[in-house]
Amino acid sequence: CVGLCVCLALCSDGPRGFSQTFLAGDTIEEFQVGQRCVVEVPDRPPRQGTIRYFGKPHWDSLTDWLGVEYDEPVGKNDGMAKGKRYFTCPPDHGAFVRTQFVRVSDEGP
């Protein structure tokens, strides 16, 4: 893990079923595909969505990223990034976000 987070644990429970625990500042987050989340990027409003991908994408083999399907069409893609499909969602609902900008949430769509 690179940046503000320290990797604590990694396990796999099936294809694309990865779970990762991070210490980011004072917060410990565990990310799993299918979890609801809030993306909080500086200078942008918070956005709600669902984690659809977790891992190291082909453009950055050192950093874990989350693929998020937003509830609203505020994203940049449909789950495809730089010519490779990581997940599927409606156009403009997908985005790839570094883990330090995401927190798990119980809030529904």
Side-chain angles (χ1 to χ4, degrees):
C1 183
V2 178
L4 299 175
C5 56
V6 177
C7 181
L8 299 176
L10 174 66
C11 65
S12 173
D13 59 4
R16 295 191 179 212
F18 294 101
S19 172
Q20 183 87 33
T21 303
F22 288 95
L23 176 62
D26 294 331
T27 305
I28 295 177
E29 293 286 355
E30 182 170 348
F31 301 113
Q32 294 180 349
V33 172
Q35 282 181 313
R36 297 287 301 156
C37 67
V38 176
V39 177
E40 297 173 318
V41 176
D43 299 322
R44 294 187 188 163
R47 304 288 187 190
Q48 292 185 2
T50 303
I51 297 171
R52 298 295 184 206
Y53 169 83
F54 174 80
K56 293 174 176 58
H58 73 280
W59 71 85
D60 185 353
S61 63
L62 299 176
T63 307
D64 286 312
W65 289 71
L66 295 169
V68 175
E69 177 182 351
Y70 291 121
D71 295 343
E72 304 290 328
V74 294
K76 297 181 177 183
N77 60 54
D78 64 355
M80 181 178 282
K82 301 190 180 192
K84 184 172 179 182
R85 175 145 320 271
Y86 290 89
F87 62 97
T88 302
C89 69
D92 299 324
H93 281 71
F96 289 85
V97 185
R98 291 184 185 211
T99 56
Q100 67 258 33
F101 299 121
V102 180
R103 68 179 169 83
V104 174
S105 170
D106 291 331
E107 298 174 33

